[in-house]
Coordinates of all heavy atoms in Angstrom, one line a residue:
L1 N 0.8 -1.2 0.0 CA 0.0 0.0 0.0 C 0.9 1.3 0.0 O 0.6 2.2 -0.8 CB -0.9 0.0 1.2 CG -1.8 1.2 1.4 CD1 -2.8 1.4 0.2 CD2 -2.5 1.2 2.7
M2 N 1.9 1.3 0.8 CA 2.7 2.4 0.9 C 3.5 2.6 -0.4 O 3.7 3.8 -0.8 CB 3.7 2.3 2.1 CG 3.0 2.3 3.5 SD 2.1 3.8 3.7 CE 3.3 5.0 3.9
E3 N 3.9 1.5 -1.0 CA 4.6 1.7 -2.3 C 3.7 2.3 -3.4 O 4.2 3.1 -4.1 CB 5.2 0.3 -2.7 CG 6.4 -0.2 -1.9 CD 6.8 -1.6 -2.3 OE1 6.2 -2.2 -3.1 OE2 7.8 -2.0 -1.7
Q4 N 2.5 1.9 -3.4 CA 1.5 2.4 -4.4 C 1.3 3.9 -4.1 O 1.2 4.7 -5.0 CB 0.2 1.6 -4.3 CG -0.8 2.1 -5.3 CD -0.3 2.0 -6.8 OE1 0.3 1.0 -7.2 NE2 -0.6 3.0 -7.6
M5 N 1.1 4.2 -2.8 CA 0.9 5.6 -2.4 C 2.1 6.5 -2.8 O 1.9 7.6 -3.3 CB 0.6 5.8 -0.9 CG -0.8 5.2 -0.6 SD -1.1 5.4 1.2 CE -1.1 7.1 1.4
E6 N 3.3 6.0 -2.6 CA 4.5 6.7 -3.0 C 4.6 6.9 -4.5 O 4.9 8.0 -4.9 CB 5.7 6.0 -2.5 CG 7.0 6.8 -2.8 CD 8.3 6.1 -2.3 OE1 8.3 4.9 -2.0 OE2 9.3 6.8 -2.2
A7 N 4.3 5.9 -5.2 CA 4.3 6.0 -6.7 C 3.3 7.0 -7.2 O 3.6 7.8 -8.1 CB 4.0 4.6 -7.3
S8 N 2.1 7.0 -6.6 CA 1.1 8.0 -6.9 C 1.5 9.4 -6.6 O 1.4 10.4 -7.3 CB -0.3 7.7 -6.2 OG -0.8 6.5 -6.7
Y9 N 2.1 9.6 -5.4 CA 2.6 10.9 -4.9 C 3.7 11.4 -5.9 O 3.6 12.6 -6.2 CB 3.1 10.7 -3.5 CG 3.8 11.9 -3.0 CD1 3.1 13.1 -2.6 CD2 5.2 12.0 -2.9 CE1 3.7 14.2 -2.2 CE2 5.8 13.1 -2.4 CZ 5.1 14.2 -2.1 OH 5.7 15.4 -1.6
L10 N 4.6 10.5 -6.2 CA 5.7 11.0 -7.1 C 5.1 11.3 -8.5 O 5.6 12.3 -9.1 CB 6.7 9.9 -7.3 CG 7.5 9.6 -6.0 CD1 8.4 8.4 -6.2 CD2 8.3 10.9 -5.6
A11 N 4.1 10.6 -9.0 CA 3.5 10.9 -10.3 C 2.9 12.3 -10.2 O 3.0 13.1 -11.2 CB 2.5 9.9 -10.7
I12 N 2.2 12.6 -9.2 CA 1.5 13.9 -9.0 C 2.6 15.0 -8.9 O 2.5 16.1 -9.6 CB 0.6 13.9 -7.8 CG1 -0.6 13.0 -8.0 CG2 0.2 15.4 -7.4 CD1 -1.4 12.8 -6.7
R13 N 3.7 14.8 -8.2 CA 4.7 15.8 -8.1 C 5.4 16.1 -9.4 O 5.9 17.2 -9.7 CB 5.8 15.3 -7.1 CG 5.3 15.5 -5.7 CD 6.5 15.4 -4.7 NE 7.5 16.4 -5.1 CZ 8.5 16.7 -4.4 NH1 8.7 16.0 -3.2 NH2 9.4 17.5 -4.8
E14 N 5.4 15.1 -10.3 CA 5.9 15.2 -11.7 C 4.9 15.8 -12.6 O 5.2 16.0 -13.8 CB 6.4 13.9 -12.2 CG 7.6 13.4 -11.4 CD 8.0 11.9 -11.9 OE1 7.4 11.4 -12.8 OE2 9.0 11.4 -11.3
G15 N 3.8 16.2 -12.1 CA 2.8 16.9 -13.0 C 1.8 15.9 -13.7 O 1.0 16.4 -14.5
Q16 N 1.9 14.6 -13.4 CA 0.9 13.7 -14.0 C -0.4 13.7 -13.3 O -0.5 14.0 -12.1 CB 1.5 12.3 -13.9 CG 2.8 12.1 -14.6 CD 3.3 10.7 -14.5 OE1 2.6 9.7 -14.2 NE2 4.7 10.5 -14.5
S17 N -1.4 13.4 -14.0 CA -2.8 13.4 -13.5 C -3.2 12.0 -13.2 O -2.9 11.0 -13.9 CB -3.8 14.0 -14.4 OG -5.1 13.8 -14.0
L18 N -3.9 11.7 -12.1 CA -4.4 10.4 -11.7 C -5.9 10.3 -12.0 O -6.5 9.3 -11.6 CB -4.1 10.1 -10.2 CG -2.6 10.2 -9.8 CD1 -2.5 9.9 -8.3 CD2 -1.8 9.2 -10.6
V19 N -6.4 11.3 -12.6 CA -7.9 11.3 -12.9 C -8.3 10.1 -13.7 O -9.3 9.5 -13.4 CB -8.3 12.6 -13.5 CG1 -9.8 12.6 -13.9 CG2 -8.1 13.8 -12.5
N20 N -7.6 9.8 -14.8 CA -8.0 8.7 -15.6 C -8.0 7.4 -14.8 O -8.9 6.5 -15.0 CB -7.1 8.6 -16.9 CG -7.4 9.6 -17.8 OD1 -8.4 10.2 -17.9 ND2 -6.4 9.9 -18.7
E21 N -6.9 7.2 -14.1 CA -6.8 5.9 -13.3 C -8.0 5.9 -12.2 O -8.6 4.9 -12.1 CB -5.5 5.9 -12.5 CG -5.3 4.6 -11.7 CD -4.0 4.6 -11.0 OE1 -3.1 5.4 -11.3 OE2 -3.8 3.7 -10.1
W22 N -8.2 7.0 -11.6 CA -9.3 7.1 -10.6 C -10.6 6.9 -11.2 O -11.4 6.1 -10.7 CB -9.2 8.4 -9.8 CG -10.2 8.6 -8.8 CD1 -10.5 7.8 -7.8 CD2 -11.1 9.7 -8.7 NE1 -11.6 8.3 -7.0 CE2 -12.0 9.5 -7.6 CE3 -11.3 10.9 -9.4 CZ2 -12.9 10.4 -7.2 CZ3 -12.3 11.7 -9.1 CH2 -13.1 11.5 -8.0
S23 N -10.9 7.5 -12.3 CA -12.3 7.4 -12.9 C -12.5 6.0 -13.4 O -13.7 5.6 -13.5 CB -12.5 8.5 -14.0 OG -11.6 8.2 -15.1
S24 N -11.5 5.3 -13.8 CA -11.7 3.9 -14.3 C -12.2 3.0 -13.1 O -12.7 1.9 -13.4 CB -10.4 3.4 -14.9 OG -9.4 3.1 -13.9
L25 N -12.0 3.4 -11.9 CA -12.4 2.6 -10.8 C -13.8 3.0 -10.2 O -14.3 2.3 -9.4 CB -11.4 2.8 -9.6 CG -10.0 2.4 -9.9 CD1 -9.0 2.8 -8.8 CD2 -9.9 0.9 -10.2
L26 N -14.4 4.0 -10.8 CA -15.7 4.5 -10.3 C -16.9 3.6 -10.9 O -17.0 3.5 -12.1 CB -15.9 5.9 -10.7 CG -15.0 6.9 -10.0 CD1 -15.3 8.3 -10.5 CD2 -15.1 6.9 -8.5
D27 N -17.7 3.1 -10.1 CA -18.9 2.3 -10.5 C -20.0 3.2 -11.0 O -20.9 2.7 -11.6 CB -19.4 1.4 -9.4 CG -18.4 0.3 -9.1 OD1 -17.6 -0.1 -9.9 OD2 -18.4 -0.2 -7.9
T28 N -20.0 4.4 -10.6 CA -21.1 5.3 -10.9 C -21.1 5.9 -12.3 O -22.2 6.3 -12.8 CB -21.1 6.5 -9.9 OG1 -19.8 7.2 -10.0 CG2 -21.4 6.0 -8.5
L29 N -19.9 5.9 -13.0 CA -19.9 6.5 -14.3 C -20.8 5.7 -15.3 O -20.8 4.5 -15.3 CB -18.5 6.6 -14.9 CG -17.5 7.6 -14.1 CD1 -16.2 7.6 -14.8 CD2 -18.1 8.9 -14.0
G30 N -21.6 6.5 -16.1 CA -22.5 5.8 -17.0 C -23.8 5.4 -16.4 O -24.6 4.8 -17.1
R31 N -24.0 5.8 -15.1 CA -25.2 5.4 -14.4 C -25.9 6.7 -13.9 O -25.3 7.7 -13.7 CB -24.9 4.5 -13.3 CG -24.3 3.2 -13.8 CD -23.9 2.2 -12.7 NE -25.1 1.6 -12.2 CZ -25.1 0.7 -11.2 NH1 -24.0 0.4 -10.7 NH2 -26.2 0.2 -10.8
Y32 N -27.2 6.6 -13.7 CA -28.0 7.7 -13.1 C -27.8 7.7 -11.6 O -28.0 6.7 -11.0 CB -29.5 7.6 -13.5 CG -29.7 8.0 -15.0 CD1 -29.6 7.0 -16.0 CD2 -29.8 9.3 -15.3 CE1 -29.8 7.3 -17.3 CE2 -29.9 9.6 -16.7 CZ -29.9 8.7 -17.6 OH -30.1 9.0 -19.0
V33 N -27.5 8.9 -11.1 CA -27.2 9.1 -9.7 C -27.9 10.3 -9.2 O -28.3 11.2 -9.9 CB -25.7 9.2 -9.4 CG1 -24.9 7.9 -9.9 CG2 -25.1 10.4 -10.1
R34 N -27.9 10.4 -7.9 CA -28.4 11.6 -7.1 C -27.2 12.0 -6.2 O -26.8 11.1 -5.5 CB -29.7 11.3 -6.4 CG -30.1 12.5 -5.5 CD -31.4 12.1 -4.8 NE -31.9 13.1 -3.9 CZ -32.6 14.1 -4.2 NH1 -33.1 14.3 -5.5 NH2 -33.0 15.0 -3.3
V35 N -26.8 13.2 -6.2 CA -25.8 13.7 -5.4 C -26.4 14.7 -4.4 O -27.0 15.7 -4.9 CB -24.6 14.3 -6.2 CG1 -23.5 14.8 -5.2 CG2 -24.1 13.4 -7.2
S36 N -26.2 14.5 -3.1 CA -26.7 15.4 -2.1 C -25.6 16.0 -1.3 O -24.6 15.4 -1.0 CB -27.6 14.6 -1.1 OG -28.6 14.0 -1.8
W37 N -25.7 17.3 -1.1 CA -24.7 18.0 -0.3 C -25.3 19.3 0.3 O -26.1 20.0 -0.4 CB -23.5 18.4 -1.1 CG -23.7 19.5 -2.1 CD1 -23.3 20.8 -1.9 CD2 -24.3 19.4 -3.4 NE1 -23.7 21.5 -3.0 CE2 -24.3 20.7 -3.9 CE3 -24.9 18.3 -4.1 CZ2 -24.8 20.9 -5.2 CZ3 -25.4 18.6 -5.3 CH2 -25.4 19.9 -5.9
G38 N -25.0 19.6 1.5 CA -25.4 20.9 2.1 C -26.9 21.3 1.9 O -27.1 22.4 1.6
G39 N -27.8 20.3 2.0 CA -29.2 20.6 1.8 C -29.6 20.8 0.3 O -30.8 21.1 0.1
Q40 N -28.7 20.5 -0.6 CA -29.0 20.6 -2.0 C -28.9 19.2 -2.6 O -28.3 18.3 -2.0 CB -28.0 21.5 -2.7 CG -28.1 22.9 -2.3 CD -27.1 23.8 -3.1 OE1 -27.1 23.7 -4.3 NE2 -26.3 24.6 -2.4
A41 N -29.4 19.0 -3.8 CA -29.3 17.7 -4.5 C -29.4 17.9 -6.0 O -30.1 18.9 -6.4 CB -30.4 16.7 -4.0
R42 N -28.7 17.1 -6.7 CA -28.8 17.1 -8.2 C -28.9 15.6 -8.6 O -28.2 14.8 -8.0 CB -27.6 17.7 -8.8 CG -27.4 19.2 -8.6 CD -28.2 20.0 -9.5 NE -27.9 21.4 -9.3 CZ -28.6 22.4 -9.8 NH1 -29.6 22.1 -10.6 NH2 -28.2 23.6 -9.6
S43 N -29.6 15.4 -9.7 CA -29.7 14.1 -10.2 C -29.3 14.1 -11.7 O -29.5 15.1 -12.4 CB -31.1 13.5 -10.1 OG -31.5 13.3 -8.8
G44 N -28.8 13.0 -12.2 CA -28.4 13.0 -13.6 C -27.5 11.8 -13.9 O -27.3 11.0 -13.0
L45 N -27.1 11.8 -15.1 CA -26.2 10.7 -15.6 C -24.8 11.1 -15.1 O -24.3 12.2 -15.5 CB -26.2 10.6 -17.1 CG -25.3 9.6 -17.7 CD1 -25.7 8.2 -17.3 CD2 -25.2 9.8 -19.2
A46 N -24.1 10.2 -14.4 CA -22.7 10.5 -14.0 C -21.9 10.2 -15.3 O -21.6 9.1 -15.7 CB -22.3 9.5 -12.9
Q47 N -21.5 11.3 -15.9 CA -21.0 11.2 -17.3 C -19.4 11.1 -17.3 O -18.9 10.4 -18.1 CB -21.3 12.5 -18.0 CG -20.9 12.5 -19.5 CD -21.5 13.7 -20.2 OE1 -22.6 14.1 -20.0 NE2 -20.7 14.3 -21.1
D48 N -18.8 11.8 -16.4 CA -17.3 11.8 -16.4 C -16.8 12.4 -15.1 O -17.5 12.8 -14.2 CB -16.9 12.8 -17.6 CG -15.5 12.5 -18.1 OD1 -14.8 11.6 -17.5 OD2 -15.1 13.2 -19.0
V49 N -15.5 12.5 -15.0 CA -14.8 13.2 -14.0 C -13.8 14.2 -14.7 O -13.1 13.8 -15.6 CB -13.9 12.2 -13.1 CG1 -13.1 12.9 -12.1 CG2 -14.8 11.2 -12.5
D50 N -13.9 15.5 -14.2 CA -13.1 16.5 -14.9 C -11.6 16.4 -14.3 O -11.3 15.6 -13.5 CB -13.7 17.9 -14.8 CG -13.6 18.5 -13.4 OD1 -13.0 17.9 -12.5 OD2 -14.3 19.6 -13.2
E51 N -10.8 17.3 -14.8 CA -9.4 17.3 -14.5 C -9.1 17.6 -13.0 O -8.0 17.4 -12.5 CB -8.6 18.3 -15.4 CG -9.0 19.8 -15.2 CD -10.2 20.2 -15.9 OE1 -10.9 19.4 -16.6 OE2 -10.5 21.4 -15.9
W52 N -10.1 18.2 -12.3 CA -10.0 18.5 -10.9 C -10.6 17.4 -10.0 O -10.7 17.6 -8.8 CB -10.6 19.8 -10.6 CG -9.9 20.9 -11.3 CD1 -10.3 21.6 -12.4 CD2 -8.6 21.5 -11.0 NE1 -9.4 22.5 -12.9 CE2 -8.3 22.4 -12.0 CE3 -7.7 21.2 -10.0 CZ2 -7.1 23.2 -12.0 CZ3 -6.5 21.9 -10.0 CH2 -6.2 22.9 -11.0
G53 N -11.2 16.4 -10.6 CA -11.8 15.3 -9.8 C -13.3 15.5 -9.5 O -13.9 14.8 -8.8
N54 N -13.9 16.6 -10.1 CA -15.3 16.8 -9.9 C -16.1 15.8 -10.8 O -15.7 15.5 -11.9 CB -15.7 18.2 -10.4 CG -15.0 19.3 -9.6 OD1 -15.0 19.3 -8.4 ND2 -14.4 20.2 -10.3
L55 N -17.2 15.4 -10.2 CA -18.1 14.5 -10.9 C -18.9 15.3 -11.9 O -19.5 16.3 -11.5 CB -19.0 13.8 -9.9 CG -20.0 12.8 -10.5 CD1 -19.3 11.6 -11.3 CD2 -20.9 12.2 -9.5
V56 N -19.0 14.9 -13.1 CA -19.7 15.7 -14.2 C -21.1 15.0 -14.4 O -21.1 13.8 -14.8 CB -18.9 15.7 -15.5 CG1 -19.7 16.5 -16.5 CG2 -17.6 16.4 -15.3
L57 N -22.2 15.7 -14.1 CA -23.5 15.1 -14.2 C -24.2 15.8 -15.4 O -24.1 17.0 -15.6 CB -24.4 15.4 -13.0 CG -24.0 14.8 -11.7 CD1 -25.0 15.2 -10.6 CD2 -24.0 13.3 -11.8
R58 N -24.9 15.0 -16.2 CA -25.8 15.5 -17.3 C -27.2 15.3 -16.8 O -27.7 14.1 -16.7 CB -25.5 14.8 -18.6 CG -26.4 15.3 -19.7 CD -26.1 14.6 -21.0 NE -24.7 15.0 -21.5 CZ -24.4 16.1 -22.2 NH1 -25.3 17.0 -22.5 NH2 -23.2 16.2 -22.6
A59 N -27.9 16.4 -16.6 CA -29.3 16.3 -16.2 C -30.2 15.9 -17.4 O -29.7 15.9 -18.6 CB -29.8 17.7 -15.7
T60 N -31.4 15.5 -17.2 CA -32.3 15.1 -18.2 C -32.6 16.1 -19.3 O -32.9 15.8 -20.4 CB -33.7 14.6 -17.6 OG1 -34.2 15.6 -16.8 CG2 -33.4 13.3 -16.8
D61 N -32.5 17.4 -18.9 CA -32.7 18.5 -19.8 C -31.4 18.8 -20.6 O -31.4 19.7 -21.4 CB -33.2 19.8 -19.1 CG -32.2 20.4 -18.2 OD1 -31.0 19.9 -18.1 OD2 -32.5 21.4 -17.5
G62 N -30.3 18.0 -20.4 CA -29.1 18.2 -21.1 C -28.1 19.1 -20.5 O -26.9 19.2 -20.9
S63 N -28.5 19.8 -19.4 CA -27.6 20.7 -18.7 C -26.5 19.9 -18.0 O -26.7 18.8 -17.6 CB -28.3 21.6 -17.8 OG -29.0 20.9 -16.8
I64 N -25.3 20.5 -17.8 CA -24.2 19.9 -17.2 C -23.9 20.5 -15.8 O -23.9 21.8 -15.7 CB -22.9 20.0 -18.1 CG1 -23.2 19.4 -19.4 CG2 -21.7 19.5 -17.4 CD1 -23.2 17.9 -19.4
F65 N -23.7 19.7 -14.8 CA -23.3 20.2 -13.5 C -22.0 19.5 -13.1 O -21.8 18.3 -13.4 CB -24.4 19.9 -12.5 CG -25.7 20.5 -12.7 CD1 -26.7 19.8 -13.4 CD2 -25.9 21.8 -12.4 CE1 -27.9 20.4 -13.7 CE2 -27.2 22.4 -12.6 CZ -28.2 21.7 -13.3
K66 N -21.2 20.2 -12.4 CA -20.0 19.6 -11.8 C -20.1 19.7 -10.3 O -20.4 20.7 -9.7 CB -18.7 20.4 -12.3 CG -18.5 20.2 -13.8 CD -17.2 20.9 -14.2 CE -16.9 20.7 -15.7 NZ -15.7 21.3 -16.1
V67 N -19.9 18.5 -9.7 CA -20.1 18.4 -8.3 C -18.8 18.0 -7.7 O -18.2 17.0 -8.1 CB -21.2 17.3 -8.0 CG1 -21.4 17.2 -6.5 CG2 -22.5 17.6 -8.7
S68 N -18.3 18.8 -6.7 CA -17.0 18.5 -6.1 C -17.1 17.6 -4.8 O -16.1 17.0 -4.4 CB -16.3 19.8 -5.7 OG -17.1 20.5 -4.7
G69 N -18.2 17.4 -4.3 CA -18.4 16.5 -3.1 C -19.8 16.3 -2.8 O -20.7 17.1 -3.2
G70 N -20.1 15.3 -2.0 CA -21.4 15.0 -1.5 C -21.6 13.5 -1.4 O -20.8 12.7 -1.7
E71 N -22.9 13.2 -1.1 CA -23.3 11.8 -1.0 C -23.9 11.4 -2.3 O -24.8 12.0 -2.8 CB -24.3 11.6 0.1 CG -24.7 10.2 0.3 CD -25.7 10.1 1.5 OE1 -25.6 10.8 2.4 OE2 -26.7 9.3 1.3
V72 N -23.3 10.3 -2.9 CA -23.8 9.8 -4.2 C -24.6 8.6 -4.0 O -24.1 7.6 -3.4 CB -22.6 9.6 -5.2 CG1 -23.1 9.0 -6.5 CG2 -21.8 10.8 -5.4
S73 N -25.8 8.5 -4.6 CA -26.6 7.3 -4.5 C -27.1 7.0 -5.9 O -27.4 7.9 -6.7 CB -27.7 7.4 -3.6 OG -28.6 8.5 -3.9
L74 N -27.1 5.7 -6.2 CA -27.6 5.2 -7.5 C -29.1 5.4 -7.6 O -29.8 5.1 -6.7 CB -27.2 3.8 -7.8 CG -25.7 3.5 -7.9 CD1 -25.5 2.0 -8.0 CD2 -25.1 4.2 -9.1
Q75 N -29.6 5.8 -8.8 CA -31.0 5.9 -9.0 C -31.4 4.6 -9.8 O -30.8 4.3 -10.8 CB -31.3 7.1 -9.9 CG -30.9 8.4 -9.2 CD -31.7 8.7 -7.9 OE1 -32.9 8.9 -8.0 NE2 -31.1 8.5 -6.8
L76 N -32.5 4.0 -9.3 CA -32.9 2.8 -10.0 C -34.1 3.0 -10.9 O -34.8 4.0 -10.9 CB -33.4 1.7 -8.9 CG -32.3 1.4 -8.0 CD1 -32.8 0.5 -6.9 CD2 -31.1 0.7 -8.7

Protein backbone atom coordinates (compact mmCIF):
# COMPACT_ATOMS: atom_id res chain seq x y z
CA LEU A 1 0.00 0.00 0.00
CA MET A 2 2.75 2.43 0.93
CA GLU A 3 4.65 1.69 -2.29
CA GLN A 4 1.54 2.41 -4.36
CA MET A 5 0.89 5.63 -2.44
CA GLU A 6 4.49 6.71 -2.95
CA ALA A 7 4.28 5.99 -6.70
CA SER A 8 1.06 8.03 -6.93
CA TYR A 9 2.58 10.86 -4.92
CA LEU A 10 5.66 10.97 -7.14
CA ALA A 11 3.52 10.93 -10.28
CA ILE A 12 1.54 13.93 -9.00
CA ARG A 13 4.74 15.78 -8.09
CA GLU A 14 5.94 15.23 -11.66
CA GLY A 15 2.76 16.86 -12.97
CA GLN A 16 0.94 13.68 -13.98
CA SER A 17 -2.80 13.39 -13.46
CA LEU A 18 -4.36 10.42 -11.69
CA VAL A 19 -7.87 11.31 -12.86
CA ASN A 20 -7.99 8.66 -15.62
CA GLU A 21 -6.85 5.93 -13.25
CA TRP A 22 -9.27 7.07 -10.56
CA SER A 23 -12.26 7.43 -12.89
CA SER A 24 -11.68 3.92 -14.26
CA LEU A 25 -12.42 2.62 -10.76
CA LEU A 26 -15.74 4.46 -10.33
CA ASP A 27 -18.86 2.29 -10.53
CA THR A 28 -21.10 5.33 -10.91
CA LEU A 29 -19.90 6.51 -14.33
CA GLY A 30 -22.48 5.84 -17.01
CA ARG A 31 -25.24 5.40 -14.43
CA TYR A 32 -27.99 7.68 -13.14
CA VAL A 33 -27.18 9.06 -9.69
CA ARG A 34 -28.37 11.58 -7.14
CA VAL A 35 -25.77 13.71 -5.37
CA SER A 36 -26.72 15.42 -2.11
CA TRP A 37 -24.68 18.04 -0.26
CA GLY A 38 -25.42 20.89 2.14
CA GLY A 39 -29.20 20.64 1.80
CA GLN A 40 -29.01 20.59 -2.01
CA ALA A 41 -29.30 17.72 -4.47
CA ARG A 42 -28.79 17.10 -8.18
CA SER A 43 -29.71 14.07 -10.24
CA GLY A 44 -28.43 12.98 -13.62
CA LEU A 45 -26.16 10.73 -15.58
CA ALA A 46 -22.71 10.46 -14.02
CA GLN A 47 -20.95 11.25 -17.27
CA ASP A 48 -17.32 11.85 -16.41
CA VAL A 49 -14.75 13.18 -13.96
CA ASP A 50 -13.06 16.46 -14.87
CA GLU A 51 -9.38 17.32 -14.48
CA TRP A 52 -9.99 18.47 -10.89
CA GLY A 53 -11.79 15.30 -9.84
CA ASN A 54 -15.29 16.81 -9.94
CA LEU A 55 -18.11 14.48 -10.92
CA VAL A 56 -19.73 15.68 -14.16
CA LEU A 57 -23.51 15.14 -14.21
CA ARG A 58 -25.75 15.49 -17.26
CA ALA A 59 -29.33 16.31 -16.23
CA THR A 60 -32.33 15.06 -18.23
CA ASP A 61 -32.67 18.50 -19.84
CA GLY A 62 -29.09 18.22 -21.14
CA SER A 63 -27.55 20.72 -18.74
CA ILE A 64 -24.19 19.88 -17.19
CA PHE A 65 -23.31 20.19 -13.50
CA LYS A 66 -19.97 19.63 -11.84
CA VAL A 67 -20.09 18.39 -8.28
CA SER A 68 -17.00 18.49 -6.06
CA GLY A 69 -18.35 16.52 -3.12
CA GLY A 70 -21.40 15.01 -1.52
CA GLU A 71 -23.27 11.78 -0.99
CA VAL A 72 -23.78 9.84 -4.23
CA SER A 73 -26.58 7.30 -4.53
CA LEU A 74 -27.57 5.23 -7.55
CA GLN A 75 -30.99 5.87 -9.04
CA LEU A 76 -32.94 2.77 -9.98
